[in-house]
Amino acid sequence: GRSCLRRTGPLLGHVDTRSAARDMEALRRALGDGKLNFLGLSYGAHLGSAYAELYPKRIRTMALDAIANHSSSVNTLFADAAATYEDTLNRFAAWCAQTSSCPLHGRDVLALFDSVVQRADQQPIPAPECADGSCRPTVTGGEIRMEALFLLLAKDGVPAIGFPSWNDFAIALARADQGDASRLSSPVSANPSEFAGLAINCADYPPEIVT
């Protein structure tokens, strides 16, 4: 948080969720709209609840889904996320052990994952399919951990809408073990708005760093 404040400066005091809710109200008024109709998903649900706290009489209809529990401490939030990640990785390994079509069937999946991450920590693994600049040309252990978190979101190998399957993760891990981490590389974008969520989290957790 202190690093975020040092790098961002006074702007950090204006990118928290309540500030975003006030901006949303300013837009509603500027457009001359009536009472707000709002659908909030994930972070949008937190934004909607902040708006409701500030402007309870200016809402017509509001639906909030998948809201983060911001009454929990940041340590609890990340500890819970880490435990869930570990549990899901274990279920993925069990699925591969039971599913003959899994590209890693018959292998020690957890040991393989640890080995690939350790190798990437020591020396980033090349991602030759990223030569066009669309994704990072090498992949570190930290990047593999983050991409794995996304790839594990599917349930029991079945892809959810917009998400890959566990089979995709198994293929990506097998290829990384062979020296090609292209499918575990993060997209490259020049759009700084992708990092806006980091600044919001710095401002929301914890508020005492913002001056």
Side-chain angles (χ1 to χ4, degrees):
R2 287 190 295 271
S3 173
C4 195
L5 175 60
R6 184 174 64 254
R7 290 171 178 269
T8 307
L11 175 64
L12 187 63
H14 305 280
V15 297
D16 59 290
T17 302
R18 290 176 70 86
S19 293
R22 285 191 288 268
D23 290 343
M24 192 162 68
E25 170 61 9
L27 286 171
R28 186 196 66 79
R29 295 179 62 183
L31 292 170
D33 282 354
K35 290 188 175 182
L36 184 73
N37 296 303
F38 184 83
L39 170 63
L41 308 176
S42 189
Y43 173 75
H46 184 56
L47 177 60
S49 66
Y51 182 94
E53 289 175 357
L54 291 170
Y55 311 106
K57 296 182 179 179
R58 298 176 192 171
I59 300 167
R60 177 185 173 275
T61 301
M62 179 174 284
L64 306 179
D65 183 56
I67 190 168
N69 184 3
H70 279 246
S71 65
S72 298
S73 71
V74 67
N75 287 346
T76 298
L77 180 70
F78 285 116
D80 288 348
T84 302
Y85 185 175
E86 184 77 11
D87 176 68
T88 306
L89 183 62
N90 287 332
R91 289 193 294 113
F92 165 73
W95 173 81
C96 263
Q98 298 165 5
T99 307
S100 60
S101 61
C102 173
L104 300 176
H105 182 69
R107 302 184 65 177
D108 186 335
V109 173
L110 297 179
L112 174 64
F113 179 79
D114 288 343
S115 172
V116 170
V117 169
Q118 184 178 27
R119 283 162 46 200
D121 278 337
Q122 295 170 352
Q123 179 68 44
I125 300 174
E129 292 180 13
C130 300
D132 61 357
S134 61
C135 46
R136 299 182 186 280
T138 59
V139 179
T140 66
E143 288 167 339
I144 290 175
R145 294 183 187 96
M146 287 303 297
E147 287 301 303
L149 180 63
F150 172 76
L151 290 166
L152 285 167
L153 289 175
K155 182 180 184 298
D156 299 331
V158 180
I161 295 175
F163 295 110
S165 71
W166 278 358
N167 203 61
D168 294 321
F169 179 41
I171 292 172
L173 196 55
R175 289 183 58 178
D177 183 48
Q178 297 169 359
D180 179 357
S182 299
R183 298 197 181 190
L184 292 169
S185 178
S186 304
V188 173
S189 172
N191 182 2
S193 68
E194 289 186 0
F195 299 95
L198 298 178
I200 288 173
N201 276 328
C202 278
D204 286 349
Y205 292 118
E208 62 267 18
I209 69 162
V210 181
T211 57

